Amino acid sequence: MRLFVSEGSPGSLPVLAAAARARGRAELLISTVGPEECVVPFLNRPKVPVLQLDSGNYLFSPSAICRYFFLLCGWEQDDLTNQWLEWEATELQPVLSAALHCLVVQGKKGEDVLGPLRRVLTHMDHSLSRQNCPFLAGDTESLADIVLWGALYPLLQDPAYLPEELGALQSWFQTLSTQEPCQRAAETVLKQQGVLALRPYLQKQPQPQPPPPEGRAVSNEPEEEELATLSEEDIVTAVAAWEKGLESLPPLRLQQHPVLPVPGERNVLITSALPYVNNVPHLGNIIGCVLSADVFARYCRLRQWNTLYLCGTDEYGTATETKAMEEGLTPQEICDKYHAIHADIYRWFSISFDTFGRTTTPQQTKITQDIFQRLLTRGFVLQDTVEQLRCERCARFLADRFVEGVCPFCGYEEARGDQCDKCGKLINAIELKKPQCKICRSCPVVKSSRHLFLDLPKLEKRLEDWLGKTVPGSDWTPNARFIIRSWLRDGLKPRCITRDLKWGTPVPLEGFEDKVFYVWFDATIGYVSITANYTDQWEKWWKNPEQVDLYQFMAKDNVPFHGLVFPCSALGAEDNYTLVKHIIATEYLNYEDGKFSKSRGIGVFGDMAQDTGIPADIWRFYLLYIRPEGQDSAFSWTDLLIKNNSELLNNLGNFINRAGMFVSKFFGGCVPEMALTPDDRRLVAHISWELQRYHQLLEKVRIRDALRSILTISRHGNQYIQVNEPWKRIKGGEMDRQRAGTVTGMAVNMAALLSVMLQPYMPTVSSTIQTQLQLPPAACRILATSFVCTLPAGHRIGTVSPLFQKLENDQIENLRQRFGGGQAKGSPKPAAVEAVTTAGSQHIQRLVDEVTKQGNIVRELKAQKADKNQVAAEVAKLLDLKKQLALAEGKPIETPKGKKKK
């Protein structure tokens, strides 16, 4: 083998450190070449580092080369290391490349360099702190440590860029930097010049374009938007796609019923966690499961993938029996009543289920009992005597969720009998300290009963083999991966699958006729039975793992049942069941400063949202905007008002309405001729780039981030209209009128694209826009991968009207009081406090409007190439307004960024 490296090439650092491991394992020649030398004959541009294998093949990705060296040393791939490598490529490298370019090529320093990196550095520090290990993947150095150390070393070797508060990251970095292989690699590449040694190499690279910082508040000021760096080839390709128009769209797929997999095509099966029937879902339940899955299902249909989206109510168990007693109904009557309530709520939120079923069906009994019998005959079911908690006052054994007490692991005082919501550990109810019956609050006693267990330890090897093949390269969310790894690390234990109840799936085994299956065993089988009630060809979906991609959406507390229990049951049944490929788990959504509580009247529940006067699409937009993807988030009435009035009304709605109105007012309702200038062609390419980013994000189920792409395109559109002023040009000469036509035609086509991109998020608004613009049917149902002209010259649009209404402060304050619960009812605020609260919201809204107005002033001055001092003065006003807004919202004030170079 021959390894080619170059002085000043950042990628050579981790490669040389990893190569030290391979010495003695294979003959390796290391050659230092110049940055201009083309080592790989089939590449158009010079590329280092490069590893030429004895077979004549080449590896020219630093990560791939490092992986090869580690494999030579007998390293076994593991999921956590692969996660870190994917994170390094997708999250770290974009911001790190931009930071190095900023420091080394542009000569900037301080916060200009460190600011964009803080999030990724903090993420590493938190990960190292949380797992309490010296290295990224455990107690020993891994491939991930070498790759990330090599990437970060040029920057972090200067203490100014390694914040003191990141103690775990500092310790990790120093540990690796003092190892001899890493020291030698640094000396070879940097030659004692530090980061400046990279300058010759970086000067020859195109300027990197970092992604927008995750979680950044999306504003309406175009001067904060960084446009992607595009080559002339990118622009030519984008314009060619634009000119093809509707011809570039594939033929429409005929909608079939029932939806069935098609061999050779992309078949996507989507489930959202089955809501428990006796609970009315709150906003957190809705965003965690059904709404997130709905966005992805709608996106899949826009891609013309063969898509089946299903859900239903989980109806068996003690909770249903108890609810029936409370309301004087039978369990079946309770299920019928609340199933209809759930269905109505999801219908109002425009959730596009292909089927919404339930678990109290003959198919559920048949399929659950079949899986159980197959597990039993294969030796995966045990019998044992169980000590259970029985409430003598209620004269019944208590289901785990009807016992509360102190968690034996972390001391949390409201742990349930099956799981602690604080530490996440599973609990046997008799392990709880100070247990109480949730129904009558008496202290239960321990009684014995014979039960059946799923032998999880016997299935553990099968599960680990399946996870090893499935999870790497999949879109399992990080929290889902972490939860399943923690279960396996602690070792699986037999888990009871029966209960002493009457309302449930009967156990088909002699001696157990008076018992039913525990809902955590048979609830996930509900997906299969719901499909079986939808079509008698259900096995084409559920016994077809080679041709079906199964995506399952849930909150994080449901991960063990979907990622471990059902896979173990299906693997043990040995019946070729389709297993989950992608688990998409959210964190929790809180309400203002606390939790949702139906009993205390705190928070908005699904049946209440309809009575607020706020349309369902606004709720959808806001919940998706704050979707708790990486950490818990909170619903805020003030923030809802701000996002509606700034993002929807002033940004998105303003652009789409103006684009349509210009066609109606200036061109008689017909799209005018368009003669693209070089700036227009570049805009087409930018819109295509943002559209492709939207596709990339949604394909990885990064739902919240993809929504930002929609808002970014509408901001580009507002800026485009503002700079070109078609309302003035239409009154000018022939050239000006032609320019007004081009700008209007471009803008209305951008509005048409946005209407399709919005469809997964705001389906009613999307349909309204498409009706106003009279968008052709094919353009409504297919989302192209490039920005194409779907409304050519001569196309007649319909009647244009505003899409959104402003939310008023008093309206929001009334809703805040209404859903504030017992605290608001029992101890009303003094009038003075109420006045302050309302005044605060009014102040925030006024500042939002002023920031938007000032942003427009700055944008127009820049477009007119006004005097720099005049621009600087207006920018200073804008920054001061933003600071006032941040203080009013209680947010940290960001350090002003350096001026961006064009």
Side-chain angles (χ1 to χ4, degrees):
M1 295 185 297
R2 187 174 182 186
L3 176 63
F4 297 90
V5 296
S6 175
E7 295 175 6
S9 164
S12 297
L13 271 166
V15 163
L16 285 170
R21 284 175 162 263
R23 292 194 180 278
R25 306 273 180 166
E27 187 175 341
L28 176 65
L29 174 65
I30 299 179
S31 301
T32 302
V33 297
E36 296 294 325
E37 191 166 339
C38 197
V39 177
V40 184
F42 51 81
L43 290 182
N44 295 327
R45 295 177 56 192
K47 181 80 175 177
V48 282
V50 171
L51 180 63
Q52 184 179 12
L53 304 177
D54 294 336
S55 63
N57 293 327
Y58 294 89
L59 299 177
F60 42 85
S61 155
S63 178
I65 296 170
C66 291
R67 182 188 294 270
Y68 187 84
F69 287 143
F70 268 72
L71 289 171
L72 277 178
C73 302
W75 169 73
E76 293 185 4
Q77 299 191 53
D78 64 276
D79 179 45
L80 185 54
T81 296
N82 288 332
Q83 284 183 60
W84 275 114
L85 294 177
E86 180 181 351
W87 180 84
E88 186 268 344
T90 59
E91 301 289 339
L92 176 62
Q93 278 297 340
V95 290
L96 181 61
S97 300
L100 286 172
H101 189 276
C102 184
L103 175 65
V104 178
V105 178
Q106 297 179 339
K108 296 182 179 180
K109 294 182 180 180
E111 198 62 27
D112 285 337
V113 177
L114 183 58
L117 276 170
R118 285 190 183 276
R119 180 178 61 83
V120 291
L121 297 180
T122 301
H123 173 75
M124 289 183 66
D125 182 76
H126 286 177
S127 296
L128 289 163
S129 301
R130 186 171 59 245
Q131 63 190 22
N132 198 27
C133 293
F135 297 104
L136 294 172
D139 293 322
T140 57
E141 174 192 310
S142 71
L143 169 62
D145 295 293
I146 293 300
V147 171
L148 270 75
W149 171 85
L152 290 166
Y153 182 81
L155 195 65
L156 299 194
Q157 48 92 28
D158 182 344
Y161 298 110
L162 184 51
E164 291 182 5
E165 64 269 19
L166 304 183
L169 180 63
Q170 279 191 338
S171 176
W172 170 84
F173 182 73
Q174 290 165 3
T175 298
L176 288 166
S177 298
T178 54
Q179 293 182 1
E180 186 178 351
C182 294
Q183 287 182 332
R184 285 206 305 269
E187 290 169 3
T188 301
V189 176
L190 301 185
K191 292 292 183 185
Q192 313 251 323
Q193 299 176 52
V195 72
L196 294 180
L198 307 184
R199 180 175 288 166
Y201 176 85
L202 293 178
Q203 285 176 330
K204 294 180 174 63
Q205 308 304 310
Q207 181 173 347
Q209 177 62 33
E214 190 169 330
R216 183 189 67 181
V218 182
S219 63
N220 198 33
E221 289 80 59
E223 70 278 2
E224 292 191 357
E225 292 295 335
E226 285 269 9
L227 293 177
T229 302
L230 299 171
S231 67
E232 192 58 38
E233 183 181 357
D234 294 330
I235 296 171
V236 169
T237 302
V239 172
W242 157 269
E243 291 174 345
K244 287 182 180 177
L246 290 171
E247 295 177 7
S248 65
L249 298 179
L252 272 174
R253 168 193 285 279
L254 293 175
Q255 291 184 315
Q256 298 179 343
H257 184 83
V259 181
L260 295 172
V262 178
E265 295 189 15
R266 177 97 189 259
N267 301 299
V268 182
L269 178 59
I270 302 170
T271 72
S272 58
L274 306 181
Y276 204 69
V277 73
N278 73 324
N279 292 326
V280 177
H282 57 63
L283 297 181
N285 303 137
I286 290 168
I287 185 58
C289 303
V290 295
L291 179 53
S292 295
D294 183 63
V295 171
F296 188 65
R298 289 175 177 276
Y299 173 73
C300 291
R301 296 181 192 121
L302 284 174
R303 298 298 302 273
Q304 299 215 92
W305 296 337
N306 212 32
T307 304
L308 179 68
Y309 175 29
L310 63 94
C311 186
T313 42
D314 178 8
E315 301 188 351
Y316 282 134
T318 303
T320 303
E321 289 186 350
T322 305
K323 192 72 171 178
M325 286 191 298
E326 289 175 4
E327 298 196 14
L329 300 172
T330 67
Q332 187 63 62
E333 288 170 339
I334 279 290
C335 292
D336 293 343
K337 172 184 175 179
Y338 282 92
H339 175 83
I341 290 173
H342 278 266
D344 286 344
I345 289 169
Y346 303 138
R347 195 177 299 115
W348 187 80
F349 274 96
S350 300
I351 306 300
S352 61
F353 301 123
D354 290 291
T355 181
F356 182 72
R358 52 201 309 184
T359 57
T360 50
T361 66
Q363 286 284 13
Q364 174 75 2
T365 300
K366 179 182 176 182
I367 296 171
T368 301
Q369 290 183 346
D370 176 67
I371 290 175
F372 166 73
Q373 292 284 12
R374 297 179 71 90
L375 288 166
L376 182 67
T377 57
R378 285 160 177 77
F380 296 119
V381 176
L382 307 173
Q383 295 187 24
D384 200 358
T385 299
V386 176
E387 291 187 326
Q388 293 177 248
L389 292 176
R390 177 179 172 86
C391 179
E392 298 295 353
R393 182 179 296 177
C394 296
R396 66 193 303 151
F397 283 102
L398 295 177
D400 293 342
R401 286 177 176 261
F402 280 80
V403 184
E404 273 187 356
V406 177
C407 174
F409 300 104
C410 70
Y412 180 57
E413 293 187 355
E414 296 180 11
R416 299 193 312 264
D418 60 346
Q419 189 174 19
C420 174
D421 283 337
K422 184 174 183 181
C423 69
K425 289 187 179 293
L426 291 185
I427 302 170
N428 282 322
I430 60 170
E431 297 174 338
L432 286 173
K433 301 175 183 178
K434 301 179 181 178
Q436 280 189 333
C437 169
K438 283 185 67 176
I439 301 167
C440 69
R441 289 299 167 187
S442 64
C443 181
V445 296
V446 178
K447 297 277 187 178
S448 295
S449 181
R450 193 82 176 158
H451 281 282
L452 299 173
F453 288 75
L454 182 62
D455 194 350
L456 291 177
K458 201 170 181 180
L459 290 160
E460 188 166 353
K461 179 65 167 61
R462 296 189 188 197
L463 178 73
E464 288 184 331
D465 290 345
W466 169 73
L467 287 169
K469 294 174 184 175
T470 301
V471 176
S474 76
D475 294 322
W476 282 47
T477 49
N479 57 356
R481 297 175 190 235
F482 177 80
I483 289 167
I484 295 300
R485 277 199 311 273
S486 64
W487 269 59
L488 290 171
R489 186 177 60 242
D490 296 339
L492 300 185
K493 299 174 179 61
R495 192 74 179 164
C496 187
I497 62 172
T498 52
R499 278 294 180 264
D500 291 293
L501 301 173
K502 291 183 175 61
W503 186 245
T505 302
V507 178
L509 186 64
E510 186 177 351
F512 291 86
E513 295 88 351
D514 60 340
K515 301 183 192 298
V516 297
F517 285 113
Y518 190 10
V519 290
W520 72 254
F521 172 71
D522 79 334
T524 48
I525 299 172
Y527 301 122
V528 185
S529 71
I530 288 168
T531 312
N533 282 297
Y534 167 73
T535 171
D536 58 6
Q537 301 178 69
W538 63 272
E539 291 186 354
K540 290 185 176 180
W541 283 110
W542 284 103
K543 294 186 180 181
N544 191 5
E546 297 81 13
Q547 296 184 0
V548 173
D549 289 336
L550 173 56
Y551 287 77
Q552 297 198 290
F553 288 76
M554 67 205 70
K556 62 183 177 183
D557 57 342
N558 262 315
V559 168
F561 310 112
H562 293 75
L564 191 149
V565 174
F566 180 74
C568 280
S569 301
L571 290 166
E574 296 178 354
D575 204 16
N576 198 40
Y577 273 99
T578 301
L579 296 179
V580 63
K581 288 189 179 176
H582 312 279
I583 287 185
I584 314 301
T586 60
E587 301 292 322
Y588 294 136
L589 178 73
N590 296 315
Y591 179 78
E592 295 280 352
D593 296 325
K595 293 184 177 182
F596 291 87
S597 173
K598 186 78 169 179
S599 61
R600 298 195 298 271
I602 296 176
V604 181
F605 287 72
D607 54 346
M608 303 170 179
Q610 307 174 38
D611 301 326
T612 60
I614 298 173
D617 269 18
I618 307 301
W619 287 108
R620 286 178 63 111
F621 168 82
Y622 183 65
L623 290 173
L624 292 161
Y625 193 99
I626 61 170
R627 183 173 183 262
E629 293 185 359
Q631 60 186 14
D632 291 356
S633 61
F635 173 89
S636 160
W637 284 107
T638 299
D639 193 46
L640 170 64
L641 178 145
I642 291 169
K643 295 301 184 293
N644 178 83
N645 294 352
S646 60
E647 291 296 2
L648 293 181
L649 189 65
N650 294 343
N651 176 15
L652 183 66
N654 179 53
F655 169 66
I656 292 173
N657 186 252
R658 291 172 87 191
M661 288 301 296
F662 290 156
V663 176
S664 298
K665 184 176 180 181
F666 301 145
F667 299 97
C670 289
V671 176
E673 295 285 345
M674 290 164 274
L676 303 190
T677 66
D679 283 346
D680 296 330
R681 293 162 62 88
R682 183 169 292 276
L683 178 62
V684 168
H686 279 305
I687 302 305
S688 276
W689 183 90
E690 199 64 55
L691 172 60
Q692 287 157 15
R693 176 167 168 76
Y694 171 93
H695 279 299
Q696 291 166 359
L697 290 167
L698 276 182
E699 285 175 9
K700 303 294 285 183
V701 205
R702 291 175 59 181
I703 293 170
R704 187 185 62 196
D705 290 339
L707 179 57
R708 273 32 174 202
S709 291
I710 295 173
L711 300 172
T712 295
I713 289 176
S714 65
R715 273 194 298 278
H716 288 330
N718 274 316
Q719 181 176 2
Y720 178 65
I721 287 175
Q722 204 67 24
V723 168
N724 285 282
E725 300 180 324
W727 63 91
K728 291 183 180 178
R729 291 182 181 271
I730 196 68
K731 301 173 185 175
E734 181 62 30
M735 293 290 289
D736 276 341
R737 289 197 299 275
Q738 185 183 62
R739 183 64 189 148
T742 298
V743 171
T744 299
M746 280 279 290
V748 78
N749 270 281
M750 290 171 66
L753 171 65
L754 287 170
S755 77
V756 188
M757 295 174 72
L758 271 172
Q759 203 270 348
Y761 294 88
M762 306 178 78
T764 303
V765 170
S766 166
S767 177
T768 301
I769 299 168
Q770 290 168 0
T771 299
Q772 291 184 8
L773 301 183
Q774 294 292 292
L775 202 61
C780 296
R781 290 175 50 192
I782 300 174
L783 182 58
T785 53
S786 296
F787 179 30
V788 300
C789 180
T790 54
L791 302 180
H795 173 86
R796 179 168 290 279
I797 69 170
T799 303
V800 177
S801 58
L803 297 170
F804 305 108
Q805 291 185 340
K806 185 177 182 180
L807 291 178
E808 300 294 345
N809 297 300
D810 56 353
Q811 175 188 5
I812 290 300
E813 283 305 316
N814 287 336
L815 291 170
R816 192 199 310 273
Q817 292 293 321
R818 174 179 164 190
F819 295 105
Q823 182 180 6
K825 296 173 185 175
S827 53
K829 295 180 183 178
V833 175
E834 290 189 4
V836 170
T837 305
T838 304
S841 295
Q842 292 171 343
H843 178 57
I844 289 172
Q845 184 56 48
R846 191 183 77 250
L847 286 171
V848 169
D849 294 339
E850 289 182 9
V851 166
T852 302
K853 181 179 177 181
Q854 186 65 22
N856 289 335
I857 293 172
V858 171
R859 181 181 59 230
E860 290 182 28
L861 288 173
K862 288 183 176 180
Q864 296 164 7
K865 301 192 183 327
D867 179 73
K868 289 184 178 180
N869 293 331
Q870 184 183 1
V871 173
E874 296 300 332
V875 167
K877 292 179 185 178
L878 178 60
L879 292 175
D880 182 62
L881 285 169
K882 287 183 179 180
K883 186 183 295 185
Q884 293 180 44
L885 177 59
L887 288 169
E889 293 177 346
K891 295 179 180 177
I893 300 173
E894 294 185 359
T895 306
K897 299 176 182 177
K899 181 182 176 184
K900 295 182 176 71
K901 294 186 179 180
K902 303 291 182 185

